Amino acid sequence: MKAVRQGKPGFIHMKMNSLSDSEMIEALYAASAAGVKIKLIVRGICCLKPGVPGLSENIEVHSVVGRFLEHSRIYHFGAAGDDLLYLSSADLMHRNLNRRVELMFPIRDSAIREQIKLEFMEMFHDNVKTRKLLADGTYQSVDKRGKPAFNVQELFIDYSAKKAVEKRAAKKRKVRTFKPIMGPKNEEE
């Protein structure tokens, strides 16, 4: 919020199953009011109201419900060039944040970071299974007029199948050689 107030860019991207913790919601409202651009993917319960002028006009919430129950939790923060990316076991719910032991860890490997960021944006741009949360608490299908259908879960299925085929092919190409195990060397040598 401080960076955005100084005219620098700032964003929050989060993916979780549920968002109901009142303190977290208030913090997201404060960030939105300060001008932070917030994109949330909340599969299930979301007690935050996006798009309310002066309160949450910088928050967009999508829910992607498809063939798979996804459990990844992504917390990505950017401000004035800083780029912090975490994965977690916790949803932003009171019970997760106050009554459980949960895990959150930073992603430091650049290739893994880029993959997670790409997958988040792909999930956010799904226009087949996504429903957008409106300020009145209702959900609406994403307008896909003039756009090709994009189902992110089908994309992930295709990606996983391709990787499995590549892995099997690499395993077949691998040449196995016999290398005898040698005993301990003689101390006199």
Side-chain angles (χ1 to χ4, degrees):
M1 292 185 321
K2 182 179 175 182
V4 171
R5 286 186 186 120
Q6 295 171 352
K8 298 172 184 171
F11 68 87
I12 297 172
H13 295 166
M14 296 180 176
K15 179 185 178 291
M16 66 202 78
N17 284 332
S18 299
L19 171 57
S20 62
D21 184 80
S22 58
E23 289 180 32
M24 289 294 162
I25 292 169
E26 291 298 325
L28 290 167
Y29 285 156
S32 173
V36 177
K37 301 295 181 193
I38 302 169
K39 293 182 186 224
L40 305 175
I41 301 172
V42 184
R43 185 181 195 281
I45 297 167
C46 184
C47 296
L48 178 144
K49 300 245 184 203
V52 177
L55 177 68
S56 59
E57 62 199 26
N58 291 308
I59 302 176
E60 191 172 352
V61 179
H62 289 193
S63 174
V64 181
V65 179
R67 188 170 158 187
F68 302 110
L69 174 59
E70 297 181 40
H71 281 289
S72 60
R73 279 90 171 183
I74 301 168
Y75 298 99
H76 186 197
F77 307 92
D82 287 337
D83 188 21
L84 306 172
L85 179 62
Y86 300 89
L87 295 184
S88 177
S89 62
D91 287 316
L92 297 184
M93 301 174 70
H94 180 78
R95 71 175 187 214
N96 294 81
L97 301 174
N98 297 294
R99 296 193 317 253
R100 291 185 178 175
V101 175
E102 298 280 1
L103 176 69
M104 178 180 260
F105 54 93
I107 303 300
R108 294 196 172 106
D109 181 275
S110 60
I112 295 171
R113 290 172 60 80
E114 292 309 310
Q115 184 66 34
I116 292 168
K117 290 194 274 186
L118 172 66
E119 289 179 7
F120 178 90
M121 293 314 289
E122 287 171 333
M123 286 183 268
F124 203 79
H125 288 101
D126 178 293
N127 64 11
V128 174
K129 295 295 183 179
T130 294
R131 303 297 177 261
K132 186 174 179 179
L133 180 59
L134 304 178
D136 66 2
T138 63
Y139 286 86
Q140 181 180 72
S141 295
V142 175
D143 184 4
K144 59 184 171 191
R145 288 177 289 184
K147 299 175 188 171
F150 179 65
N151 182 330
V152 73
Q153 289 192 348
E154 292 300 321
L155 174 78
F156 291 160
I157 289 169
D158 292 345
Y159 175 77
S160 296
K162 181 181 174 189
K163 284 293 185 188
V165 168
E166 289 172 0
K167 189 175 181 178
R168 282 193 298 273
K171 200 173 191 179
K172 286 180 181 178
R173 286 191 307 265
K174 188 176 180 181
V175 177
R176 294 181 60 163
T177 58
F178 175 74
K179 189 173 184 180
I181 298 173
M182 305 302 286
K185 289 188 174 191
N186 188 342
E187 291 180 15
E188 294 178 9
E189 290 181 338

